[in-house]
Structure formats: C-alpha cells, structure tokens
Amino acid sequence: MSQITSIEQQKKDKTRCSVYVDGAFYCGLKIEIAIKHRLKSGMEIEKSQLDKIQLDNEKIQATEKAMNHLSATLKTKKQMSDFLAGKGYTQAVIDYVIQKLEGYGYIDDYAYCRAYVGSVSGKGKAALRAALIKRGAAREAIDAALDETDEDEDEALAVARKYLRGKDITRETLNKALRHLISRGYGYDVAKSSISRLGDCSEEDDY
C-alpha cells in the first residue's frame, strides 16, 4: 500500500492537479476526477487503483480534445484515431473515445464521405475514391457514398474546356484533354462523351 503525500494544483492549468505518492510525483489528474474519487493527502491507496483513476481521467481528457478537434471539420475514424495517438493516448483510451463519439454520431465515415464528395468539384469517382482512402475513410463508407454519386458530364466538360483554354481544338489536343479528364478520375465513358461535345478525337483514341 502506498500513500498520497500531496495533491497540488498545477500552475499552468488550474483545472488539473499533480498527485504525489510516497514523496514523488506520480500522475496528473483533472481536479474533478480527484474530487470524484475523494483523493486527499495522507490517504493510503494501491497504485493499481490510482492507475485506474488515471485511466478514467485520460478518457475524459481525450474526449475533450477529440471534441475540440472535431469542431473545426468532420473527421474520419482513422483521422481521429491518429490525432489521439499523436497526443500520446493509449489504444484503450483511443478505443473508448472513438466508441463514444460514434455513439453520439459525431464520427461517421459514411457522412464524412458524402460531405466530401458533395464539396469537391472537377474530380471523377476514381480521384474521389483515392482522396477518401488517403483520409482513412472505411472502404464500405466510400463505396456507399460513391454509389450514390453520378459523374457529372457537364462538370467534366467544364474541366476539359478549362484545360483547352487558349489551345486550338484539334484531335491531338482533344486526346490530351481526354487523358486529362481520366487523370482527374473521370470514367472513360463520361470523359469521352464530354470530349465528343467539343470535337472528334476517335482516330487517335487508344483507350
């Protein structure tokens, strides 16, 4: 059995306190957690019990940080997990926070994917998929969001026209515009249909 020899309010953060056990610093806690568990100087306590209290503290602190991180923009489950890991939280704490945020509906990869797809223009499905994978969205959520999205031929045409601005409309430039649309993630059928509205590039079509 160990003894809490001192509990001192931290100077840099008045909402936290430092707990000293057997004369040495042991951990930092939110003051409300210390009060909740009725910790006080002179109290005898098993270090394993104090470790559980600290875990309780970290769950609250990590949840607060996660909520603040979410206030700026939506996050995928992986982005939030990486954020918390970067703050030094253990996997047990991260799992707790993610489960809590998902339960509240604050983290939803499908909603994230739908919002992202709706906010991006000038990119086809392949490019959108690559971007969402990079952001760590769940594959099922990506598939579901993209299945509900049709590539906009008029949008692809606008991208092609922007690419061709200042260029002569020839089969060569049209083929380059076709390849440009495909590089932007548009499917071949949508890209070809859009380009055909500007001219014929079929003789040099090698796709």
Side-chain angles (χ1 to χ4, degrees):
M1 189 75 72
S2 299
Q3 185 181 67
I4 296 176
T5 48
S6 177
I7 298 177
E8 301 176 6
Q9 185 179 46
Q10 294 183 358
K11 294 180 179 179
K12 292 184 178 180
D13 186 346
K14 302 299 184 182
T15 67
R16 291 176 58 80
C17 62
S18 296
V19 179
Y20 292 82
V21 175
D22 297 332
F25 173 78
Y26 190 78
C27 67
L29 296 174
K30 297 278 286 185
I31 290 177
E32 63 191 82
I33 295 296
I35 294 173
K36 174 184 174 181
H37 293 279
R38 300 179 180 179
L39 301 182
K40 58 184 179 180
S41 297
M43 177 180 179
E44 292 192 345
I45 190 170
E46 294 285 354
K47 287 186 177 180
S48 59
Q49 183 184 349
L50 199 53
D51 289 341
K52 289 180 181 179
I53 293 173
Q54 187 181 26
L55 179 61
D56 186 17
N57 174 82
E58 286 196 334
K59 286 178 178 178
I60 292 175
Q61 186 181 51
T63 301
E64 290 176 351
K65 287 185 181 295
M67 292 297 292
N68 289 334
H69 191 50
L70 273 172
S71 65
T73 59
L74 289 173
K75 302 292 186 298
T76 65
K77 181 177 177 179
K78 185 176 186 305
Q79 284 175 326
M80 183 57 73
S81 296
D82 290 346
F83 168 76
L84 293 172
K87 294 295 182 181
Y89 291 107
T90 64
Q91 192 59 50
V93 171
I94 292 171
D95 290 343
Y96 168 85
V97 174
I98 294 297
Q99 184 177 18
K100 202 171 187 68
L101 294 179
E102 285 183 320
Y104 291 151
Y106 293 146
I107 287 183
D108 182 334
D109 277 13
Y110 169 66
Y112 179 95
C113 291
R114 286 194 64 186
Y116 181 82
V117 169
S119 69
V120 175
S121 61
K123 288 185 178 181
K125 284 189 177 184
L128 292 170
R129 181 181 298 279
L132 288 168
I133 289 173
K134 185 177 181 180
R135 286 164 172 75
R139 298 301 175 101
E140 319 85 72
I142 296 173
D143 291 341
L146 291 180
D147 284 346
E148 297 174 0
T149 304
D150 292 323
E151 288 185 329
D152 190 333
E153 188 175 304
D154 289 336
E155 183 182 90
L157 179 61
V159 173
R161 281 177 170 156
K162 183 177 180 180
Y163 174 80
L164 290 167
R165 192 176 298 156
K167 298 181 177 71
D168 292 331
I169 303 299
T170 65
R171 281 184 176 151
E172 180 182 1
T173 57
L174 288 175
N175 268 281
K176 287 181 178 179
L178 176 65
R179 288 192 287 272
H180 177 69
L181 287 180
I182 292 173
S183 75
R184 297 281 295 180
Y186 287 100
Y188 174 77
D189 290 341
V190 169
K192 184 65 184 294
S193 180
S194 300
I195 295 299
S196 69
R197 291 162 65 178
L198 297 172
D200 182 17
C201 63
S202 58
E203 288 188 7
E204 294 186 32
D205 181 6
D206 57 359
Y207 289 91

